[in-house]
Amino acid sequence: MVQTTDIPVMALKEQIIENHGEFLESLRHRFLDDDRKVALQRFEKLGFPTKKDEEYRYTNLKEITEKGYNFFPKESHNITKEQLDELHLGEENFDWITFVNGKLRKELSKVSIENVEFLSFNYALNDEKHKDVFDKYFNTIASDKSAFTNLNQAYCKYGFFLKVPKNVVIEKPIHVFYISQNQEENTFYNTRNLLIVDEGAKVEIIESHHNFDSTYVLTNSVTEIFTYPNAKADWHKVQNDNDTSYLIDNTFAKQEKDSLTTVNTFSFGGKLVRNNLDFIQNGSNINSFMNGITIIGKDQLVDHHTAVHHNQPNCESYQNYKGIFNGNSHGVFNGKVFVDKLAQKTNAYQQNNNVLLSEGAKIDTKPQLEIFADDVKCSHGCTVGQLNEDAMFYLRARGISKKEAQALLLYAFANDAMQNIDIEPLKEKISKLLAEKLEVDIEF
């Protein structure tokens, strides 16, 4: 039985304001107190966005904001090895970091990386020697115009801090698990991640969230990625949570010259998922990649909002989002590309393609370009349609069942959004999830 709390609209906002003093008192570290109070004031002024706000025109948050949540999750858990094994990608050669109910669980993690600074976010905040790092990086690229980023700054406690020093290459991908379990009430998490990839360094992160309870979980996550000259950072988000999970994700990536940053977002589960992704190009010869695959059904909603800020010349960005929608699901895509007048020789590509598998499914898509330079190559486009009947007939005529033929065509449709994944177990996992969502038992 799913637990809900029947309370008036905007009660969550009132809870947030009322609980903040107790939250601050519960912290060991206090040097961010003033920043947190200012962020809460900005949140109070902004309030939760509604459908009257252009950025949330197609995404109704009332389902989230009309529930009550516990702001202080129970730390006790009884996660079993079998439950964890099911979440893994078969990554024997990976490192993995496991957070349960907000707390880093070393006994459930395997971290062999060397020559890097890695701490849980809460521990890093408690360590005075990292104060200069937080003064330099924390909240410097995250927007203060968003209610959710301000809310995160006011309440952030969980997550991790990772700094990869100059010319250090982390060969093993790092899988970060955020698990909620053993919570008797709806629970509210504000996770915060800070990744700094120094000059010439390289790292790959996989992030996934999992709710093991029948109560609702709201996760408000903010990630800041700093990629320095000639560095490479890949961040893969695997979103396959249960139907009592809400995720609001804000990811900001700032790149320096000659760097490459990729954010891949694979959305299969969760009742309501909102992904906000901002890239800031702060040098020349930068490459930015954003790929997404969304496959949802029932009454799920997944909303992708992306923005790339081309501020310097000779840079490239590539956005490729594929959506497959069944049941009464709802997809949203709003991709923006801004090209400054200084950003000559920019090459920006943006594409959003969608397939509707049922009459109840819908997609709202809006690609946008704002170009102030004259020597650029920019393109954008979107498509919404159904499966090609001739291709279906061709496969059916060769003895392939309708479901399997549909799955093969949809895999081919989504496949190019996976082309830059060089982690083979992750590719296999995405393929298996696609088969599960399409209810077929085949290997691609």
Side-chain angles (χ1 to χ4, degrees):
M1 184 72 179
V2 173
Q3 176 177 334
T4 60
T5 306
D6 186 14
I7 53 179
V9 177
M10 301 311 293
L12 176 56
K13 179 180 176 182
E14 295 165 6
Q15 286 184 82
I16 288 165
I17 296 166
E18 290 176 3
N19 278 283
H20 197 245
E22 183 180 353
F23 173 78
L24 293 180
E25 289 297 325
S26 72
L27 302 175
R28 288 172 54 199
H29 52 83
R30 306 305 299 271
F31 68 83
L32 288 178
D33 276 13
D34 291 341
D35 293 336
R36 291 180 183 276
K37 291 173 182 176
V38 170
L40 184 70
Q41 290 170 359
R42 286 196 296 258
F43 165 78
E44 187 174 5
K45 182 178 179 181
L46 290 167
F48 285 113
T50 69
K51 296 189 75 173
K52 293 181 180 179
D53 297 283
E54 183 61 28
E55 291 295 292
Y56 283 80
R57 180 180 175 186
Y58 301 110
T59 301
N60 191 343
L61 298 176
K62 287 180 69 175
E63 180 178 355
I64 293 176
T65 59
E66 290 184 359
K67 288 183 173 63
Y69 299 89
N70 175 28
F71 287 67
F72 305 93
K74 292 168 55 178
E75 289 190 358
S76 62
H77 73 90
N78 52 6
I79 293 290
T80 65
K81 183 179 182 300
E82 289 72 24
Q83 287 174 306
L84 280 176
D85 288 344
E86 289 182 5
L87 303 181
H88 284 288
L89 308 180
E91 62 265 46
E92 292 83 1
N93 296 321
F94 286 20
D95 282 318
W96 59 85
I97 300 163
T98 306
F99 292 86
V100 181
N101 302 334
K103 186 177 180 180
L104 174 62
R105 306 289 178 171
K106 293 182 179 179
E107 72 279 9
L108 300 176
S109 304
K110 189 192 83 169
V111 182
S112 60
I113 50 179
E114 299 177 346
N115 303 317
V116 302
E117 289 184 73
F118 168 76
L119 295 168
S120 72
F121 190 81
N122 190 35
Y123 189 90
L125 288 174
N126 288 327
D127 193 338
E128 282 295 324
K129 74 178 183 180
H130 287 98
K131 186 177 185 300
D132 292 342
V133 174
F134 279 90
D135 287 342
K136 182 177 180 180
Y137 293 103
F138 179 70
N139 220 54
T140 58
I141 53 175
S143 170
D144 63 1
K145 298 178 182 178
S146 162
F148 285 103
T149 52
N150 279 295
L151 177 53
N152 182 280
Q153 185 178 0
Y155 272 95
C156 61
K157 179 179 178 181
Y158 312 115
F160 72 92
F161 159 67
L162 176 63
K163 183 177 182 181
V164 187
K166 184 176 180 179
N167 295 325
V168 171
V169 176
I170 300 179
E171 298 290 351
K172 298 179 181 180
I174 303 169
H175 193 162
V176 183
F177 298 97
Y178 290 103
I179 298 172
S180 182
Q181 190 242 22
N182 204 28
Q183 303 302 313
E184 297 173 356
E185 303 175 77
N186 300 336
T187 308
F188 190 18
Y189 296 96
N190 284 275
T191 59
R192 189 83 182 208
N193 305 310
L194 175 59
L195 174 64
I196 303 167
V197 190
D198 215 335
E199 184 175 353
K202 178 182 176 183
V203 66
E204 285 193 288
I205 307 288
I206 302 169
E207 173 193 6
S208 58
H209 296 255
H210 308 274
N211 176 19
F212 279 84
D213 295 322
S214 60
T215 51
Y216 283 93
V217 161
L218 169 58
T219 301
N220 177 32
S221 178
V222 173
T223 298
E224 294 179 285
I225 303 169
F226 294 85
T227 316
Y228 279 91
N230 293 299
K232 183 176 185 289
D234 292 346
W235 196 294
H236 310 281
K237 299 175 182 290
V238 182
Q239 299 170 340
N240 189 38
D241 214 341
N242 66 19
D243 291 341
T244 58
S245 300
Y246 307 122
L247 174 63
I248 308 294
D249 185 278
N250 285 274
T251 298
F252 302 87
K254 185 178 182 181
Q255 296 180 249
E256 304 297 334
K257 66 177 184 176
D258 302 313
S259 66
L260 190 156
T261 299
T262 299
V263 176
N264 291 323
T265 308
F266 307 110
S267 303
F268 297 95
K271 183 69 183 304
L272 187 155
V273 177
R274 166 74 177 226
N275 292 302
N276 299 306
L277 178 58
D278 277 76
F279 271 74
I280 300 99
Q281 295 186 337
N282 198 43
S284 59
N285 300 308
I286 287 172
N287 285 280
S288 305
F289 292 90
M290 290 140 279
N291 299 284
I293 297 175
T294 301
I295 307 176
I296 55 174
K298 295 183 283 188
D299 58 350
Q300 293 175 273
L301 184 148
V302 172
D303 180 347
H304 296 289
H305 269 61
T306 68
V308 184
H309 303 268
H310 287 272
N311 298 320
Q312 299 293 329
N314 299 299
C315 294
E316 296 189 8
S317 68
Y318 181 92
Q319 300 183 57
N320 186 17
Y321 281 77
K322 299 296 183 74
I324 300 170
F325 303 96
N326 207 347
N328 292 310
S329 62
H330 182 192
V332 181
F333 176 80
N334 185 189
K336 303 186 184 78
V337 175
F338 303 97
V339 182
D340 189 87
K341 62 182 179 181
L342 298 177
Q344 304 293 342
K345 305 294 184 182
T346 289
N347 185 2
Y349 172 87
Q350 182 190 98
Q351 188 69 30
N352 174 230
N353 303 112
N354 304 282
V355 173
L356 303 180
L357 299 179
S358 64
E359 291 185 2
K362 63 179 180 178
I363 173 73
D364 292 292
T365 179
K366 184 183 177 184
Q368 294 176 253
L369 298 176
E370 292 189 21
I371 303 171
F372 299 96
D374 51 19
D375 186 9
V376 301
K377 185 187 292 185
C378 298
S379 64
H380 68 162
C382 63
T383 61
V384 180
Q386 298 175 325
L387 288 175
N388 185 290
E389 292 184 4
D390 291 339
M392 279 289 290
F393 178 80
Y394 178 87
L395 293 173
R396 295 295 309 281
R398 278 146 184 81
I400 299 174
S401 71
K402 182 178 179 180
K403 271 193 173 183
E404 289 183 350
Q406 183 184 70
L408 288 169
L409 291 175
L410 291 173
Y411 179 80
F413 165 77
N415 187 56
D416 62 333
M418 293 191 286
Q419 290 306 300
N420 72 334
I421 304 176
D422 55 7
I423 306 173
E424 199 57 38
L426 178 58
K427 270 190 175 180
E428 292 177 7
K429 179 66 171 180
I430 300 305
S431 299
K432 288 179 181 177
L433 287 175
L434 193 152
E436 288 175 12
K437 292 294 287 187
L438 299 175
E439 299 177 342
V440 293
D441 185 20
I442 60 174
E443 293 186 8
F444 295 107

